[in-house]
């Protein structure tokens, strides 16, 4: 517990055990992206936009609509923030940083520039995840652990899309 | 009770992600630039252990699978779009909040972007449903079902391929 960094194979294997226990105890596979779509419907309702005008938020008995929150997955996503905070504090790794090192080396220290690209990336990523039906947690981890065909295709294309955009913005040269 | 399980599972997951340094932009984009495979070591280890546990419990009749429907159009187009956004953001939906938890404020912009992305998807959903999700739609299918073998053969094969990949990562210091 005291070691600052854990081996990624061991941590990953423990995450696999966590997935299995979550399915056994709570009947919940891990996933995250749907929460952001559901949150969008709640934000729309809060600022006075009728979310029910969108078929997506009423489809499947409102599975993605404002009435679906709070639920298991929302709490899971909040839990990740708390767990990461606890771990970072205990290992002395908590550090306020608005621009990642790799980004700063290549694109400079401007938090505005980084913020704009992160925001746009977030919009595109979530549209893609909802179209694909999941993210690296839902399709990648939970989907592949079930040997789902959808998980294999989605994860392959997550990687292909990421290879394209990361290498385009950083240039093809290594390091 | 479901909410308590959710937050407890999230706390443990966030703890593990932080300890393995998976929540870092440099590690996520490092994997996409093929210079640091940390996130794939974490993820593939989780998948291999998860697949053994899930199929064991399924064989014992303790759980049921919840497969996501396969649509070639949705997973190819959506997957590639997700990847493009992931390369720009440097976090995924599960790790953006975790990044914020360890003090990475750019995770917050990503979270706001993803909520907007949810609103955008709701607007374009009717189009996607008609023209993209309908392409190559096969329903809830698994790899052992389509190739017609026992699921343990696929679990073991996947495990072996993963171990070979790990050996490769270590030999190249990735």
């Amino acid at each position: 517990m005291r070691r600052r960094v854990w081996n990624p194979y061991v941590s990953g294997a423990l995450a696999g055990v966590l997935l299995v226990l979550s399915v056994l105890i709570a009947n919940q596979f891990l996933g995250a992206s749907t929460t952001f779509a559901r949150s969008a419907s709640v934000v729309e309702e809060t600022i006075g936009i009728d979310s029910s005008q969108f078929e997506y938020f009423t489809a499947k008995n409102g599975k993605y609509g404002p009435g679906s929150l709070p639920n298991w997955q929302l709490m899971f996503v909040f839990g990740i923030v708390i767990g990461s905070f606890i771990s970072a504090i205990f290992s002395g790794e908590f550090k306020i940083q608005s621009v990642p090192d790799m980004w700063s080396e290549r694109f400079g220290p401007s938090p505005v520039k980084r913020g704009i690209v992160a925001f746009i990336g977030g919009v595109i990523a979530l549209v893609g995840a909802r179209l694909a039906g999941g993210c690296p947690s839902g399709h990648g981890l939970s989907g592949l652990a079930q040997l789902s065909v959808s998980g294999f295709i989605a994860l392959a294309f997550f990687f292909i899309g990421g290879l394209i955009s990361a290498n385009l913005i950083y240039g093809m040269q290594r390091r | 009770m479901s909410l308590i399980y959710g937050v407890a599972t999230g706390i443990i997951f966030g703890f593990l992600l932080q300890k393995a340094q998976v929540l870092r932009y440099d590690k996520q984009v490092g994997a996409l630039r093929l210079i640091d495979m940390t996130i794939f070591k974490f993820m593939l280890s989780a998948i291999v252990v998860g697949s053994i546990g899930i199929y064991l419990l399924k064989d014992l009749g303790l759980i049921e699978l919840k497969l996501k429907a396969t649509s070639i159009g949705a997973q190819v187009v959506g997957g590639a779009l997700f990847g493009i956004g992931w390369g720009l953001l440097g976090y995924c939906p599960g790790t953006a909040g975790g990044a914020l938890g360890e003090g990475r404020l750019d995770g917050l912009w990503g979270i706001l972007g993803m909520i907007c992305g949810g609103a955008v998807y709701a607007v374009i959903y009717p189009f996607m449903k008609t023209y993209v999700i309908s392409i190559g739609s096969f329903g809830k299918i698994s790899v052992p079902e389509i190739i017609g073998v026992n699921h343990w053969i696929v679990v073991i094969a996947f495990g072996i391929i993963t171990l070979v990949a790990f050996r490769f990562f270590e030999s190249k210091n990735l």
Side-chain angles (χ1 to χ4, degrees), chain B residues 95-114:
Chain B
T95 51
L100 184 63
E102 59 171 7
R104 300 173 191 283
L105 300 183
D106 54 337
L108 188 59
W109 294 110
I111 292 169
L112 295 174
M114 288 192 285

Side-chain angles (χ1 to χ4, degrees), chain B residues 57-74:
Chain B
L57 294 181
K58 181 182 178 282
D59 283 355
L60 293 171
L62 295 172
I63 62 161
E64 279 173 26
L65 298 186
K66 264 192 221 166
L67 296 171
K68 288 178 188 283
T70 295
S71 146
I72 307 284

Side-chain angles (χ1 to χ4, degrees), chain A residues 112-174:
Chain A
V112 177
K113 195 170 165 186
R114 168 61 189 146
I116 291 169
V117 174
F119 181 86
I120 295 169
V123 175
I124 300 171
L126 216 284
V127 168
R130 286 328 310 150
L131 175 56
C135 61
S137 304
H139 262 318
L141 180 52
S142 302
L144 258 63
Q146 299 179 74
L147 308 175
S148 172
V149 174
S150 55
F152 280 95
I153 303 172
L155 193 66
F157 280 87
F158 292 165
F159 190 50
I160 292 170
L163 278 176
I164 293 169
S165 72
N167 287 294
L168 272 181
I169 65 168
Y170 278 94
M172 293 305 281
Q173 89 283 5
R174 299 261 184 108

Side-chain angles (χ1 to χ4, degrees), chain B residues 29-99:
Chain B
V29 176
L32 298 176
R33 295 175 67 199
L34 307 175
I35 53 183
D36 184 335
M37 290 293 147
T38 304
I39 67 164
F40 283 106
K41 294 175 189 175
F42 181 94
M43 186 151 187
L44 291 169
S45 301
I47 291 168
V48 170
V49 171
S51 66
I52 296 168
I54 296 287
Y55 274 98
L56 199 63
L57 294 181
K58 181 182 178 282
D59 283 355
L60 293 171
L62 295 172
I63 62 161
E64 279 173 26
L65 298 186
K66 264 192 221 166
L67 296 171
K68 288 178 188 283
T70 295
S71 146
I72 307 284
Q75 275 110 40
V76 168
V77 178
L81 265 180
F82 173 84
I84 290 167
W86 180 26
L88 297 175
L89 172 55
Y91 306 114
C92 54
T95 51

Side-chain angles (χ1 to χ4, degrees), chain A residues 9 55 84 87 114 146 170, chain B residues 18 55 89 98 129 170:
Chain A
Y9 298 119
E55 182 190 346
S84 156
S87 172
R114 168 61 189 146
Q146 299 179 74
Y170 278 94
Chain B
Q18 201 284 331
Y55 274 98
L89 172 55
K129 195 176 80 169
E170 294 306 323

